[in-house]
Every structure is written in C-alpha cells, then in structure tokens.
Amino acid sequence: MDRDQRLIAFCQQAVRIPSPSGQEREVAQLMKRKMEEYGFDEVLIDRYGSVLGRMRGRRPGKTILLDGHIDNVDVIDADEWTHDPFGGEIDQGRIYGRGTSDMKGSVTAMISAVAHFAEDSGRDFAGEICVSCTVHEECFEVSSREITRLAKPDFVIIGEATSTTVKIGQRGRAEVVVETEGVSCHSSNPDKGVNAVYHMMAVIEEIRRIIPNEHPILGKGILELTDIISSPYPGASVVPALCRATFDRRTLTGENEAVILGQVEEAIARAREKIPGLKARTYLAEGKEVCWTGEAIAAKRYFPAWLIDEDNEYVQKALAGLKKAGIEAPISHFSFCTNGSHFCGEAGIPCIGYGPSLESLAHVRDEYIEIEQLTKACRGFASILRELTQ
C-alpha cells in the first residue's frame, strides 16, 4: 500500500468512528495509536482528552504545531443522507461521511505528512514538530489552551478547510447576553407589574441601531439576535419578571470585551432614557462542558479575532513551501471561528490556516472530502514543514 492509499484508509477509519463533542475517546485513541505507529517520539493524551504528538529533529530550532479538532457535529438526519454518515464510503473520487471535511481528513493528512517528512529527511531538521488533535472545538474553542501550555509552539498551522489556500485571520465570536428585569403579576391585571419583555423590546430596538465596526480584511463585525425567552416560561397567566436575549457577536481585531459590552451598555442607556426605571444588564455567557476524560472545561464564550501580517516570516516560508510543492495558495481569511482564536488571538502565537476541502462542506448533509484535496494537502503540509525547519 503506497502513502496515498494509507492516508485514504486512515481517513476512512477515522470517519467511521462517531465522535460528537465530549465523546471523542475512541477516535483520540486511534490518533494516538497511529502517531505511535508512525514513529512519533512522544504521544500523550492530555487532561481534556486531546492528543498531542511530538516529532523531534536532530538540530535545535523552533516548535511548529499543526492543529486540528477530532470532534464532529452530530448527525440528526441520517435517513436523508445518500451515503452512510459514518461509512467512509468512496464514490467518484470522494470520501463521504461526517467529519471528512470538518476535519478528520485534515487531521489524518497532518499526521501522515509529519511522518512522511520525518522519514524523507532522516529527521535531519531543526526543531520540533507537534500535531494536536483537540476535543470540544465544535462547541467550545478552549481545549487548545492546554495544548499551548504543553507544546509551547512558536508557530501554528490550523488545518481547517481552506481548499489548500492560506488563511491569515478570522473574526472572533462572543456570546452576548442581555437581561431585562420586570415585576411579576397576574396577566389579568398587567398594570400591577412591569413586563420584562416590553422592556427587552425597547432595548433590542436600540441594539439594532448599533453600527458594527468594519475591518478592511475581516469585514464587518456582527451583533445578531439568536434567541429570546421570558421567565417564567410558559407564562400561565403571569406577566414575565425576566427576559433574556442572546446575541452572536462576531468580533474584529482591536475589539475586546470592554468594546463588545460597552456598545450594548450604551444601547441600554438609550432605552433607559425612553423608559425611566428600566432595569437591564449585559454580560458574556459562560460555558461548561464535560470532556470524555471526565474533566470539566469552563470559560467565557468569548474567542477573539486574529490577523497576521502576510509579510510575516512564517507566512512567507509557508507560501514558499507550498509553491515548491506546486500548490498555488492565494491568501484570504476564514469566515468562521477556529482554534486560531486561542493560538493567535489570545496567546499571540503567529498562525495561519491551511487544509483540504471546502469551507462550505462543514456540517452539511452528505459531507465529503475529495481524495485529490486530501493527498494534495498532505504534500502541502510536508513541504511547508521542510521550509520551516531548515
């Protein structure tokens, strides 16, 4: 079996293991086992259940990290797929299944590329190459913080789908909560209370007047209402005493928590001018998830934007490596959130995105990855590593 055939089989094997967030144990064990078979110098599973493998060169140098997540969104419409969501079936040059594009195909390509590069170079390269297979990314981009603590990378390649182009940034995301407080009473005598929903309507009206900031590369910041609920619910003849609305805030570089909440607080203040005594507050939502290891992971649902200068030395070396592999890689940015929010946005580590398949294939019915994209990305990863570790 040649290298491409081994990679295809590896990808199929990974896709055949369902791994919703929090249930990645079996696929994590597969990644660990494959890294060990491929001769990684050290492979560990961290407290959250992510896998980290290290391949050390014979000369001192920087630490390069290739990162991908191994959780997948769940399948709720299996009967409507034309291929088994966890079959890893090959049809007309495509591997079908949940997670093929997002992003087990890329993870298997990264692990394979590091093994191929180490073998071809006789490990005569500078520094250390790490591959991280992170958990819980689909709902909570936090487990990568532990990877940074363990690997201490100098440069990170996010392997999310880019059609093998190079991404140099992304908008961040924050989950903004707004609450209004009223006074409960029987709905047959509404004048005896204060309806929190009416006050929320006034606040939302002012929030919609916010003009988002705009970035010349990343585009517009967004503040979009995603849900709203009153309390008590259902009301059962009770005027609601509380109303909670959640907004998806897509952030830009230069925007922090103070900016994000400050805009909403100004909107609340404007609403209060119209309705004296209006009680409202805003804050960032917090999340808590339980990993397959049993470890709890908790943090604010705020993941900052990031952008790296395309003239950065690492970016230029990555582009040079791809060119030597015969891969044309125009520069653009991600349209969605990735672990780069931590690596570059939080930790300030230079970072790019490069990986196989189309961004539009993530989370869709009949998800697939083209075999040509899979093998091309593997060659690209290896060529980038060759350039970065000279």
Side-chain angles (χ1 to χ4, degrees), residues 193-208:
V194 176
N195 194 314
V197 174
Y198 294 152
H199 285 192
M200 179 62 78
M201 290 166 63
V203 171
I204 290 173
E205 183 180 354
E206 294 302 324
I207 287 175
R208 296 192 69 189

Side-chain angles (χ1 to χ4, degrees), residues 121 208 235 248:
S121 65
R208 296 192 69 189
D248 183 355

Side-chain angles (χ1 to χ4, degrees), residues 312-322 383-384 387-388 390:
N312 180 281
E313 175 188 5
Y314 289 110
V315 177
Q316 289 303 308
K317 284 185 176 181
L319 291 171
L322 291 172
S383 194
I384 290 172
E387 201 70 20
L388 289 171
Q390 288 182 355

Side-chain angles (χ1 to χ4, degrees), residues 219-259:
K220 290 183 178 181
I222 288 172
L223 182 61
E224 185 67 16
L225 178 67
T226 54
D227 66 58
I228 184 168
I229 190 166
S230 57
S231 180
Y233 179 85
S237 300
V238 177
V239 168
L242 183 72
C243 186
R244 179 183 293 110
T246 305
F247 293 81
D248 183 355
R249 176 68 156 87
R250 298 291 157 154
T251 68
L252 306 175
T253 53
E255 294 184 323
N256 55 22
E257 185 175 340
V259 171

Side-chain angles (χ1 to χ4, degrees), residues 7-81:
L7 170 57
I8 292 164
F10 184 12
C11 178
Q12 289 177 289
Q13 190 175 4
V15 170
R16 287 169 181 152
I17 302 172
S19 54
S21 303
Q23 300 175 49
E24 305 96 339
R25 178 194 299 271
E26 190 177 346
V27 77
Q29 290 171 340
L30 169 66
M31 297 304 167
K32 182 176 185 289
R33 193 162 61 247
K34 283 292 185 180
M35 288 186 194
E36 291 169 343
E37 290 174 6
Y38 275 134
F40 278 66
D41 294 295
E42 180 185 353
V43 187
L44 62 86
I45 293 178
D46 72 16
R47 62 196 180 109
Y48 295 135
S50 300
V51 185
L52 178 64
R54 305 175 189 268
M55 190 79 80
R56 298 186 178 96
R58 300 189 187 282
R59 293 176 278 119
K62 305 288 188 181
T63 297
I64 310 301
L65 172 68
L66 289 77
D67 173 75
H69 65 85
I70 51 173
D71 58 326
N72 56 250
V73 294
D74 213 347
V75 175
I76 58 172
D77 56 356
D79 292 343
E80 298 181 44
W81 286 54

Side-chain angles (χ1 to χ4, degrees), residues 13 302 324 363 368:
Q13 190 175 4
Y302 169 52
K324 288 179 180 179
H363 302 188
Y368 67 84

Side-chain angles (χ1 to χ4, degrees), residues 67 103 156-160 306 334 338-340 343 351-355:
D67 173 75
M103 58 177 291
V156 180
I157 301 171
I158 302 293
E160 294 272 11
W306 60 276
F334 285 114
T338 73
N339 278 341
F343 291 120
C351 181
I352 62 166
Y354 170 81

